[in-house]
Amino acid sequence: MATGDVAALREAVRAARADHRPTVGNRFGAVPLADAYRIQADLFGTPVAWKLGLLSPAKQRQMGLTEPVYGRVPASRLRTGGIRLAEFLQPRVEPELAAVLGADIPAGASPAQAGDAVSHLVLALDVLDSAWRDYRFCAAEVVADNSSGGAAVLADDPVDDRTGSLRLTLDGTTLAEGDLAELAPPAPQLAWLAGQVGGLSAGSRVLLGSPAASVPARAGSLVVHGGGRTLTVAIEP
């Protein structure tokens, strides 16, 4: 792989974000994922939380992958209040669950060890965003662009259970809904992530994906419903 291709991918992501203007994707498919993750770390910095993406085998096959991808949630993108749409290039939202770790998961941990490290699950809102026009990208491009990570909002209270639906409403109207049973148990995915990033520490939070499709973000009162809890996020223009 030519060094120039890696540098060009990095610059394409950086410029799209800096100029607040999505760029054309599907141009850097030859860049190895290892280089794309190095770009991600360089551009998006130290995370206070992580997010998993492309969890379904069907989505992985579509991208030519055999495993998920991950992204970073830096401190500036982990929100406790509202979200302003003007901050993002082409924001989409989806309801998710996130795992909160009560113990470390070292690299090389088994799924059983990873599962034992989970303190509880909470509701989350994943705000997706992409430097690639119309979300059309190859695997290296989405990884370099932080796996379409825009921002995240996490609830404080643990969910009561993982049965029923995970639903997203805007001003009382349902936008997206999926069955919580469709979410795979998080332990194998957490063990995989720990292996990729050199371990996860106690207190880490990891967004686990969604059984519902993402939808374009619009202003209003957005509510995630699931597990006997709700998470309300004010979306501003």
Side-chain angles (χ1 to χ4, degrees), residues 219-232:
S221 179
L222 201 61
V223 183
V224 180
H225 310 254
R229 300 290 185 182
T230 59
L231 169 64
T232 302

Side-chain angles (χ1 to χ4, degrees), residues 8-9 24 36 39 48 58 67 72 76 114 117 126 129 141 149-150 169 174 190 210 221 223:
L9 172 56
V24 175
I39 293 170
V48 296
E67 60 185 15
R72 300 156 184 267
S76 63
D126 189 8
D129 199 25
E141 290 167 350
T169 64
T174 296
L190 293 172
S210 178
S221 179
V223 183

Side-chain angles (χ1 to χ4, degrees), residues 68-133:
V69 297
Y70 65 84
R72 300 156 184 267
V73 184
S76 63
R77 293 296 179 176
L78 184 62
R79 305 299 173 79
T80 57
I83 296 290
R84 291 184 62 249
L85 298 181
E87 296 180 55
F88 306 99
L89 284 72
Q90 40 187 352
R92 300 179 67 88
V93 288
E94 66 182 26
E96 298 200 7
L97 291 181
V100 180
L101 303 187
D104 295 347
I105 304 178
S110 68
Q113 290 172 312
D116 289 342
V118 176
S119 169
H120 56 276
L121 303 178
V122 297
L123 294 178
L125 179 72
D126 189 8
V127 183
L128 306 173
D129 199 25
S130 180
W132 308 105
R133 190 177 302 163

Side-chain angles (χ1 to χ4, degrees), residues 115-202:
D116 289 342
V118 176
S119 169
H120 56 276
L121 303 178
V122 297
L123 294 178
L125 179 72
D126 189 8
V127 183
L128 306 173
D129 199 25
S130 180
W132 308 105
R133 190 177 302 163
D134 299 324
Y135 284 77
R136 295 183 179 180
F137 41 65
C138 65
E141 290 167 350
V142 69
V143 165
D145 188 39
N146 203 27
S147 296
S148 299
V153 183
L154 274 61
D156 294 322
D157 297 326
V159 298
D160 294 333
D161 58 53
R162 291 188 60 194
T163 62
S165 66
L166 188 62
R167 187 162 53 98
L168 185 66
T169 64
L170 180 69
D171 296 333
T173 299
T174 296
L175 298 181
E177 187 170 9
D179 189 343
L180 279 170
E182 295 179 11
L183 284 177
Q189 298 156 358
L190 293 172
W192 173 85
L193 178 62
Q196 297 295 307
V197 302
L200 298 168
S201 59

Side-chain angles (χ1 to χ4, degrees), residues 2-27:
T3 302
D5 292 336
V6 177
L9 172 56
R10 183 193 184 282
E11 177 57 19
V13 175
R14 187 209 63 78
R17 295 286 180 181
D19 297 342
H20 210 72
R21 182 179 303 160
T23 189
V24 175
N26 289 310
R27 293 184 284 145

